[in-house]
Amino acid sequence: MNPKNIQISDYNYPLPDERIAKFPISQRDHSKLLVYRHGEISDDVFYHLPSYLPEGALMVYNNTRVIQARLHFRKSTGALIEVFLLEPHQPADYEQIFQTRHSCQWQCLVGNAKKWKEGTLQRIIHTDAADVVLTAIRNAETPQIVTLSWSYAEQPASEAEATQLQPLSFAEVLDAVGELPIPPYLNRKTEESDKTTYQTVYSRIKGSVAAPTAGLHFTDDVLHAIDERGIEREEVTLHVGAGTFKPVKSERIEGHEMHSEYICVRRSTIERLLAHDAQAIAVGTTSVRTLESLYYIGLKILANSDITEDQLHVAQWEPYETNVADGISLVSSAPTAVEALQAIDDWLRRNELDALHTSTQIIIAPGYDYKIVRMLITNFHQPQSTLLLLVSAFVGGNWRSIYDYALGHDFRFLSYGDSSLLIP
């Protein structure tokens, strides 16, 4: 069956509101763990996870960090406007934009946009050093582009005071005034505790507007137990976009457009994957999308060794088509995952790059042939979602027995809910 013809209604299940975890449990690693092994299902506690993993394996997780992406402004008329930061526009690089000191541009979603078609929005930020004025202006031709600028409300009275008052970075501005964007299905306001509980213990690279929630169960103790078992750990970066909550509204998934997400994989990680025969345990669906995208990036390089980085984007339906994006023909016989990763490693070396920076729009649905991921740690996902399609593809279509078991054994669902280890 062509995956484009999949009916999303076939991936529905009843999810009562009381089964959605509104808050996390007090101890991350005490969440429940469903274990699916070769069709058999059992349940345990998450801190026992290491005992189910093979010694000497490679675990890959997403080190992205959720930013406080929601900014609120009040117009002089009293209307409340929300500016939701989606991805950097100028500078386009995540690392650079958080280091800017005076202004930057973001692609945004604007809440109550009808009340802000033109003009400037302002608000005062109170910091330990001094008050700062934050200004927002929409681009007239491209309204989703918002320019943010900031400066001290009062100019320093002396040169000595000016030296002490260094301009704030955009990262500091967000920390002072932004709100963490917890998932909309929680139906509650963000609380101070979310700033900690909605981040993984290994989050480092700022850029996501949603957490890679499979990682929320890990603690330093669990990571130590994984290390003690001889399991190697590697990080990748995929900055999760707001599209992760975008419902599938089309009857067939052919009509659903996946969001494009930035990924970064270090050359040393590629080499570690090669040392493990291109096989890995993935923590979360974001790690899955990153790892599986690497295979198709490798195919592009094998087909054209002179390809540039901006041509490495993985398109939504690329895994199911005979040719890769941009008209680059595949090599005659399908390469192995090892060959694809080796091509990336060689390409990075030729171009004197320490990391691969690109983006992916990949959709993983029943009919997909997994190339790299051999085990998956993931939460329980929304009905009729692309994440549920990914899980179904991983367990050979047996997702319903897993979810029926979880519903029948008091598992908690969605971002702050319980976890599963899937071994097909």
Side-chain angles (χ1 to χ4, degrees):
M1 178 182 179
N2 187 334
K4 292 183 179 182
N5 295 327
I6 288 173
Q7 304 278 328
I8 195 62
S9 58
D10 292 339
Y11 295 84
N12 198 8
Y13 69 91
L15 180 59
D17 185 67
E18 63 267 19
R19 303 305 298 273
I20 299 173
K22 301 297 193 294
F23 293 90
I25 61 173
S26 58
Q27 292 178 274
R28 292 173 184 253
D29 58 9
H30 281 56
S31 55
K32 294 182 72 172
L33 176 69
L34 181 149
V35 180
Y36 173 89
R37 285 188 293 187
H38 320 308
E40 298 293 325
I41 304 174
S42 60
D43 59 90
D44 204 331
V45 183
F46 189 82
Y47 57 73
H48 288 150
L49 171 73
S51 65
Y52 292 99
L53 306 179
E55 294 181 11
L58 176 65
M59 173 181 284
V60 177
Y61 54 88
N62 186 2
N63 64 12
T64 189
R65 187 167 182 81
V66 185
I67 62 172
Q68 294 175 195
R70 300 175 68 183
L71 299 173
H72 293 102
F73 295 85
R74 183 77 66 177
K75 291 190 68 177
S76 57
T77 58
L80 182 66
I81 309 296
E82 178 177 286
V83 176
F84 192 117
L85 309 178
L86 292 180
E87 60 181 88
H89 181 72
Q90 185 61 41
D93 180 83
Y94 279 91
E95 186 175 349
Q96 290 180 20
I97 204 163
F98 291 116
Q99 293 174 353
T100 54
R101 294 283 173 179
H102 299 286
S103 68
C104 58
Q105 292 182 327
W106 283 78
Q107 292 185 38
C108 302
L109 289 175
V110 177
N112 207 9
K114 291 181 180 179
K115 298 290 181 69
W116 183 39
K117 293 183 178 179
E118 58 184 18
T120 300
L121 299 179
Q122 285 191 339
R123 66 172 294 175
I124 301 294
I125 304 172
H126 302 291
T127 73
D128 293 337
D131 287 349
V132 173
V133 180
L134 175 64
T135 300
I137 302 174
R138 294 184 83 179
N139 185 299
E141 296 181 357
T142 315
Q144 68 267 31
I145 303 300
V146 175
T147 299
L148 297 164
S149 58
W150 57 98
S151 60
Y152 286 109
E154 296 183 7
Q155 294 303 312
S158 65
E159 191 172 320
E161 189 176 332
T163 302
Q164 291 181 333
L165 275 181
Q166 293 296 318
L168 295 181
S169 68
F170 188 63
E172 292 171 312
V173 170
L174 278 191
D175 286 344
V177 75
E179 182 180 304
L180 201 74
I182 60 172
Y185 48 66
L186 295 184
N187 292 317
R188 66 172 176 83
K189 292 183 177 181
T190 302
E191 299 192 3
E192 187 67 23
S193 60
D194 291 309
K195 291 181 179 180
T196 300
T197 58
Y198 197 58
Q199 302 281 12
T200 63
V201 295
Y202 45 69
S203 64
R204 295 192 303 110
I205 311 298
K206 291 183 177 182
S208 281
V209 299
T213 54
L216 296 180
H217 306 274
F218 285 83
T219 60
D220 290 334
D221 287 342
V222 171
L223 293 174
H224 178 71
I226 288 169
D227 295 340
E228 288 288 299
R229 195 164 171 78
I231 298 167
E232 296 185 68
R233 294 189 283 123
E234 279 291 327
E235 302 176 2
V236 294
T237 303
L238 181 144
H239 289 320
V240 190
T244 193
F245 301 121
K246 182 181 178 182
V248 180
K249 295 183 178 179
S250 57
E251 186 176 326
R252 296 188 307 158
I253 65 169
E254 182 180 24
H256 180 76
E257 183 180 3
M258 291 290 287
H259 49 291
S260 184
E261 294 170 310
Y262 165 89
I263 60 175
C264 173
V265 182
R266 294 172 299 175
R267 194 178 74 211
S268 59
T269 300
I270 300 290
E271 292 169 349
R272 187 71 64 86
L273 281 163
L274 285 167
H276 286 265
D277 295 324
Q279 297 189 7
I281 303 164
V283 179
T285 58
T286 60
S287 297
V288 170
R289 294 206 299 278
T290 304
L291 290 168
E292 293 297 312
S293 293
L294 290 177
Y295 177 77
Y296 298 96
I297 292 168
L299 294 194
K300 292 174 186 283
I301 294 171
L302 285 169
N304 177 9
S305 60
D306 295 325
I307 196 169
T308 59
E309 196 165 52
D310 59 2
Q311 294 176 296
L312 295 178
H313 169 78
V314 179
Q316 177 166 330
W317 296 107
E318 205 160 304
Y320 314 95
E321 296 170 349
T322 55
N323 294 322
V324 294
D326 300 324
I328 303 168
S329 297
L330 289 177
V331 289
S332 55
S333 59
T336 65
V338 168
E339 289 169 334
L341 293 182
Q342 188 61 60
I344 297 175
D345 187 41
D346 294 341
W347 182 86
L348 289 170
R349 288 180 181 277
R350 284 197 307 272
N351 290 279
E352 299 181 341
L353 296 171
D354 291 328
L356 173 71
H357 297 269
T358 185
S359 58
T360 184
Q361 207 175 352
I362 192 172
I363 185 169
I364 297 178
Y368 179 85
D369 179 22
Y370 276 84
K371 306 297 185 182
I372 295 172
V373 178
R374 293 294 178 262
M375 296 183 182
L376 170 60
I377 298 158
T378 189
N379 284 17
F380 297 95
H381 305 292
Q382 288 181 291
Q384 302 189 104
S385 64
T386 58
L387 301 182
L388 190 54
L389 294 175
L390 181 153
V391 168
S392 180
F394 193 69
V395 296
N398 201 22
W399 70 272
R400 196 174 291 277
S401 65
I402 295 169
Y403 276 63
D404 284 347
Y405 185 97
L407 286 165
H409 289 77
D410 297 323
F411 278 75
R412 302 159 76 246
F413 278 61
L414 308 187
S415 294
Y416 274 143
D418 293 316
S419 183
S420 66
L421 169 64
L422 307 179
I423 306 172

